[in-house]
Amino acid sequence: MKVNMKTETEMKTKIVHHVDSTAVACLAYRGETRELSVWFTSNPDAEYVYVNVPLFMVGAIFRSKSKGKAINKHVVGKAEFIKNLMQKEKDSCSP
């Protein structure tokens, strides 16, 4: 799968990316705010919002064969996160 990544200034809307992964149900990136949302298959109702994630990290995750390993390598421990247990947005991921 080829993912065409735009520059952060071009990304004004949220990009939602459903993935074929045993660990990750879906990813969403908001370029304007540099927020990466992750829904894990183990708890698909919880949205993990990682803040201040640079575009190059998101590109590496989208291109990776293993989304879970890529998130652990590029985001976990490097970006602050907030676990959101609120109702999902209408356009958010639904596994």
Side-chain angles (χ1 to χ4, degrees), residues 1 16-20 25-27 91-95:
M1 169 189 19
V16 176
H17 185 68
H18 296 272
V19 296
D20 182 20
C26 190
L27 300 167
D91 63 343
S92 68
C93 302
S94 42

Side-chain angles (χ1 to χ4, degrees), residues 4 6 11-13 17 20-21 25-27 35 39 47 55 60 66 75 78 80-81 88-90 95:
N4 184 15
K6 298 180 180 181
M11 296 175 67
K12 299 293 182 192
T13 59
H17 185 68
D20 182 20
S21 170
C26 190
L27 300 167
E35 293 176 341
W39 289 265
E47 175 186 13
L55 185 62
S66 173
V75 179
K78 295 178 175 80
E80 181 184 348
F81 79 93
K88 293 184 207 173
E89 296 175 21
K90 184 178 176 184

Side-chain angles (χ1 to χ4, degrees), residues 3-47:
V3 177
N4 184 15
M5 298 302 295
K6 298 180 180 181
T7 65
E8 288 185 46
T9 54
E10 292 175 311
M11 296 175 67
K12 299 293 182 192
T13 59
K14 180 169 70 171
I15 295 176
V16 176
H17 185 68
H18 296 272
V19 296
D20 182 20
S21 170
T22 57
V24 179
C26 190
L27 300 167
Y29 186 68
R30 295 167 195 83
E32 211 169 46
T33 58
R34 294 172 50 138
E35 293 176 341
L36 175 68
S37 293
V38 181
W39 289 265
F40 293 99
T41 56
S42 60
N43 190 1
D45 290 329
E47 175 186 13

Side-chain angles (χ1 to χ4, degrees), residues 69-94:
K69 286 181 183 177
I71 289 168
N72 282 329
K73 178 180 179 181
H74 296 289
V75 179
V76 174
K78 295 178 175 80
E80 181 184 348
F81 79 93
I82 303 161
K83 186 175 181 180
N84 181 4
L85 295 172
M86 303 300 283
Q87 185 176 1
K88 293 184 207 173
E89 296 175 21
K90 184 178 176 184
D91 63 343
S92 68
C93 302
S94 42

